[in-house]
Amino acid sequence: MALSLALVLLLALGPVGPCGGCLQCDPNFSLRFASYAPHLSRKAWGLGVVPAAGRMLRGWAQDTLRGLQLGVPAEIPMMELQMIATKVYAKLDTLFQGKLYKPGALPEVLHSIFEEQVRMLRNAILESRVKCERHCGINQYKAINCETCNQTKPTCFGYNCESSEAWETALKGLYKYINDLGSQPQKWAVGLKQLPGFSHCTSTSPDNLNFTSIGKTLSQNWLNMMALKDLEGQVSSLQMLAPSC
């Protein structure tokens, strides 16, 4: 009987495999969301409220991806994801325990929790990339892809180089990374566009890139950063020049 009930709950909430949604990549997602389903039938939440709440729970993962609206890949460090998941579960637990109960309010409160979750995920994804870019040259960090739930290593390029020697090394590292991508055609189109400043590139191989022009453009960005470094608060608003590629 218990097994049958568990299966019904899981089916009621839709697919629980790695079909994306950020929060769904958390290992506890399936069991936690399945535990909310019985509360929809045991309490009189109000006319038409239960079906609406059920739809929200079933579409939580897919709606999360649509709500993120990011200009960068939806990749988040697992530690950040689990911290956000814990906060979301705590709010949902409180809601379904009836501590926030008010007739007809369930969909509204659910939507509020959902929107807060999207904001936290978006901020964590963007902050992770910004933190990565504060290094000098090519840098990577471990993350989870919100669409596939696979482990990834997002790559970024940072201008935080304190000397011309460090900057030259950073450029060489960038060129090596780009050339290495060229030996993996299946990764080229995605890998190059993921680098900040290279999202517009349509080149099909490193042979089509003008590394001299790229180096001059990026070096101008670095010089501008160095010139503004003493003016606190203005560096973050500097408009970077996109390399001609």
Side-chain angles (χ1 to χ4, degrees):
M1 177 65 179
L3 180 60
S4 299
L5 177 59
L7 288 173
V8 168
L9 295 180
L10 290 174
L11 288 172
L13 287 173
V16 294
C19 61
C22 273
L23 200 69
Q24 194 168 5
C25 299
D26 175 68
N28 297 316
F29 177 87
S30 299
L31 288 177
R32 294 303 290 262
F33 267 63
S35 72
Y36 303 136
H39 294 279
L40 294 178
S41 59
R42 285 210 297 254
K43 189 183 287 286
W45 291 94
L47 185 63
V49 166
V50 170
R55 285 192 296 271
M56 291 184 67
L57 290 175
R58 287 193 297 274
W60 197 279
Q62 292 77 10
D63 291 342
T64 295
L65 271 182
R66 283 193 288 269
L68 286 174
Q69 297 180 340
L70 291 167
V72 297
E75 297 169 312
I76 183 171
M78 177 55 86
M79 184 177 297
E80 295 290 330
L81 173 60
Q82 291 180 330
M83 287 173 59
I84 292 171
T86 299
K87 293 178 181 178
V88 173
Y89 299 149
K91 288 182 177 295
L92 290 173
D93 288 346
T94 300
L95 172 63
F96 286 110
Q97 286 167 5
K99 295 179 182 177
L100 296 178
Y101 172 71
K102 187 172 73 173
L106 180 57
E108 181 182 341
V109 180
L110 264 181
H111 183 71
S112 174
I113 295 172
F114 173 83
E115 288 295 320
E116 183 181 2
Q117 170 224 218
V118 169
R119 283 194 297 273
M120 288 191 293
L121 288 169
R122 185 189 298 121
N123 290 341
I125 291 168
L126 293 175
E127 286 172 8
S128 297
R129 291 195 69 87
V130 169
K131 189 183 298 184
C132 180
E133 291 167 18
R134 288 186 184 135
H135 291 76
C136 174
I138 288 289
N139 191 43
Q140 293 181 316
Y141 60 98
K142 293 180 180 179
I144 297 293
N145 185 300
C146 284
E147 294 186 31
T148 64
C149 293
N150 293 330
Q151 292 188 357
T152 64
K153 273 195 172 182
T155 303
C156 59
F157 181 76
Y159 290 89
N160 193 25
C161 304
E162 297 295 336
S163 68
S164 56
E165 291 80 8
W167 175 246
E168 289 298 324
T169 301
L171 279 181
K172 289 178 182 177
L174 173 64
Y175 298 157
K176 182 179 185 307
Y177 173 78
I178 291 175
N179 280 306
D180 287 347
L181 279 178
S183 64
Q184 308 171 67
Q186 71 279 10
K187 292 185 178 180
W188 171 261
V190 175
L192 185 65
K193 288 178 181 295
Q194 285 185 347
L195 282 173
F198 288 80
S199 60
H200 64 291
C201 289
T202 57
S203 300
T204 56
S205 78
D207 297 334
N208 302 126
L209 296 177
N210 186 334
F211 283 106
T212 301
S213 173
I214 290 172
K216 288 177 65 174
T217 303
L218 296 182
S219 292
Q220 187 59 55
N221 285 342
W222 177 66
L223 289 171
N224 290 342
M225 289 280 289
M226 292 290 284
L228 290 174
K229 202 160 188 179
D230 293 333
L231 302 177
E232 188 175 347
Q234 293 193 30
V235 174
S236 60
S237 62
L238 177 67
Q239 184 68 41
M240 297 294 183
L241 300 172
S244 300
C245 56

